[in-house]
Amino acid sequence: MNNAERIANLKAEKYQELFGVNKTTFETMLEVLETDYRKKHQRGGRPPKLSVLDKLIIMLQYYKEYRAMECVAFDYGVYKSTICDAIHWAEETLITDGRFHLPSKRALLDDQSLEAVIIDVTECETERPQKNRNGIIPVKRRDIP
């Protein structure tokens, strides 16, 4: 069963679990990518190794799971460069669309409705044994056979 059939049979609750976005966001992303793909390939061209749906799934799972591109390439039967190109194309297309662009840092700082969770990740010193010559027994050259 290919990805299109598997996605069609997928429940709405599973989208967040598998891809990190809800179903409506996933469908909007897919629509944006398909319109851009049709626009770029109006005059035809070589058939792609990966469908637009596959490229979207690869991008979302790459950012959610941060799998190595070699592993993803093995799963889809393509080269690593194809996976890299697919991720960058999907990412750039969604950013240029504007609906999926994150606000700037200044806009986030000015927005008073946002709540922040702060996690303490300070480093703690760990005592380790000192490296010195006292623990080493020196041997003179004349004693070595």
Side-chain angles (χ1 to χ4, degrees), residues 15-66:
Y15 279 86
Q16 185 72 34
E17 183 180 323
L18 293 173
F19 308 120
V21 295
N22 59 23
K23 185 176 181 176
T24 56
T25 306
F26 183 87
E27 290 171 350
T28 308
M29 287 177 165
L30 185 60
E31 178 186 316
V32 168
L33 293 175
E34 284 177 343
T35 55
D36 184 69
Y37 180 80
R38 278 194 299 269
K39 189 185 305 180
K40 284 187 176 182
H41 294 88
Q42 284 177 349
R43 296 180 2 167
R46 205 166 95 186
K49 295 178 183 175
L50 298 170
S51 68
V52 176
L53 177 63
D54 288 338
K55 291 178 182 182
L56 176 61
I57 291 171
I58 288 169
M59 182 199 69
L60 290 173
Q61 286 185 338
Y62 176 74
Y63 285 125
K64 184 176 184 292
E65 301 169 7
Y66 203 65

Side-chain angles (χ1 to χ4, degrees), residues 12-138:
E13 302 87 41
K14 293 295 252 181
Y15 279 86
Q16 185 72 34
E17 183 180 323
L18 293 173
F19 308 120
V21 295
N22 59 23
K23 185 176 181 176
T24 56
T25 306
F26 183 87
E27 290 171 350
T28 308
M29 287 177 165
L30 185 60
E31 178 186 316
V32 168
L33 293 175
E34 284 177 343
T35 55
D36 184 69
Y37 180 80
R38 278 194 299 269
K39 189 185 305 180
K40 284 187 176 182
H41 294 88
Q42 284 177 349
R43 296 180 2 167
R46 205 166 95 186
K49 295 178 183 175
L50 298 170
S51 68
V52 176
L53 177 63
D54 288 338
K55 291 178 182 182
L56 176 61
I57 291 171
I58 288 169
M59 182 199 69
L60 290 173
Q61 286 185 338
Y62 176 74
Y63 285 125
K64 184 176 184 292
E65 301 169 7
Y66 203 65
R67 290 176 60 199
M69 288 185 189
E70 291 89 0
C71 296
V72 178
F74 179 76
D75 289 346
Y76 282 89
V78 294
Y79 290 107
K80 176 187 167 189
S81 60
T82 307
I83 298 298
C84 184
D85 292 341
I87 290 170
H88 286 292
W89 172 77
E91 178 181 84
E92 290 298 318
T93 304
L94 292 174
I95 288 172
T96 55
D97 180 60
R99 287 185 267 183
F100 304 102
H101 195 280
L102 292 174
S104 67
K105 193 174 190 180
R106 180 170 292 160
L108 289 173
L109 289 173
D110 292 340
D111 190 5
Q112 299 298 324
S113 66
L114 293 176
E115 293 183 23
V117 176
I118 299 172
I119 301 173
D120 183 15
V121 291
T122 55
E123 291 186 42
C124 298
E125 273 190 49
T126 306
E127 290 187 33
R128 298 177 189 247
Q130 296 292 321
K131 290 184 179 181
N132 56 20
R133 294 190 157 261
N134 295 340
I136 302 171
I137 301 171

